[in-house]
Amino acid sequence: MKFFITGIGTDVGKTIASAIITQALEADYWKPIQAGEIEFSDKDKVKSLISNSKSQIHKNSYALQTPASPHFAAAIDGISIELKNITEPKTKNHLVVEGAGGIFVPLNQTETVMDLIQPDYKVIVVSRHYLGSINHSLLTIEALKSKNISIAGIIFSGDENFGTESIILSKTGIPFLGRIDNEPYFDNNVISYYAEKFKENLQRLI
């Protein structure tokens, strides 16, 4: 099974969610495009947070220097992102694919993160609570549905907000996979704790 992890925006918790899912399923992890933080990138963070011996962390197709939209970060590096150069790693294991920002983040002048989502991927949406997050969540889910992209479910990031969560779930009808609370820190133990909490819901998707 291949899961594509996207968010309703930037810094909503995609990488932590990806680490939890990777640990829960002992899956492989791949982030096709990394923009900024190359010294300790998202793949390095996931590697440091998981504790199973089965998961493989695959190399980025593009590792860009600037923490910015991929199309702009690539331009600063003097290159252009081309989908033909983004090759999914070969593995017989489950694969967790982490996107960059939200689904309409541009990769170049014509393509966006949504164009990275392959027909055999199931999308998991990460939503974090903030003023406007209901709108951003509903827009993200509606856009995915309009392209007939399979949505496996949603993970909420941050302390429980019943008013926000209930309206998103009732309007979209997508499965609730779990919530990641506002933890003081994330390490192997915290990730393993959430992996156990999420495991049953994730295994139902396989």
Side-chain angles (χ1 to χ4, degrees):
M1 184 62 66
K2 300 171 186 177
F3 293 106
F4 189 93
I5 316 304
T6 193
I8 64 170
T10 303
D11 294 330
V12 297
K14 290 190 307 297
T15 301
I16 293 298
S18 295
I20 291 167
I21 297 164
T22 299
Q23 177 66 21
L25 299 177
E26 296 188 333
D28 285 9
Y29 169 88
W30 177 48
K31 182 161 186 171
I33 301 170
Q34 174 73 37
E37 297 185 322
I38 293 178
E39 296 77 14
F40 190 59
S41 68
D42 290 339
K43 68 180 177 64
D44 299 318
K45 293 173 188 173
V46 170
K47 185 176 182 178
S48 73
L49 289 170
I50 62 174
S51 52
N52 77 85
S53 58
K54 184 178 178 181
S55 296
Q56 297 293 314
I57 309 298
H58 297 280
K59 183 179 178 182
N60 308 119
S61 296
Y62 286 93
L64 308 169
Q65 298 291 329
T66 306
S69 172
H71 83 292
F72 185 53
I76 292 172
D77 284 359
I79 61 173
S80 177
I81 294 173
E82 298 184 40
L83 288 184
K84 67 180 181 181
N85 294 331
I86 300 176
T87 305
E88 180 186 294
K90 289 183 170 59
T91 179
K92 294 182 179 179
N93 196 8
H94 301 305
L95 182 64
V96 174
V97 183
E98 183 181 352
I103 55 173
F104 285 123
V105 167
L107 305 180
N108 49 46
Q109 293 301 311
T110 57
E111 292 155 327
T112 69
V113 166
M114 194 185 292
D115 294 299
L116 295 175
I117 302 173
Q118 299 302 307
D120 59 342
Y121 290 1
K122 288 190 174 182
V123 174
I124 294 176
V125 176
V126 180
S127 175
R128 186 168 184 84
H129 304 311
Y130 56 82
L131 189 62
S133 66
I134 295 174
N135 184 52
H136 294 161
S137 299
L138 296 179
L139 284 171
T140 296
I141 294 163
E142 183 63 29
L144 290 167
K145 287 181 175 180
S146 74
K147 297 290 186 180
N148 295 316
I149 293 172
S150 176
I151 304 174
I154 189 167
I155 291 173
F156 291 110
S157 174
D159 295 334
E160 183 176 7
N161 185 320
F162 177 77
T164 293
E165 295 174 17
S166 61
I167 195 67
I168 292 170
L169 293 173
S170 66
K171 278 188 165 293
T172 62
I174 66 174
F176 167 60
L177 300 179
R179 181 186 303 99
I180 306 166
D181 294 326
N182 281 324
E183 301 289 349
Y185 61 87
F186 287 95
D187 62 9
N188 301 104
N189 291 329
V190 178
I191 293 299
S192 292
Y193 165 76
Y194 278 103
E196 285 301 314
K197 285 186 68 174
F198 283 33
K199 184 177 290 186
E200 185 176 349
N201 285 340
L202 291 169
Q203 287 179 336
R204 288 197 192 104
L205 303 174
I206 296 171

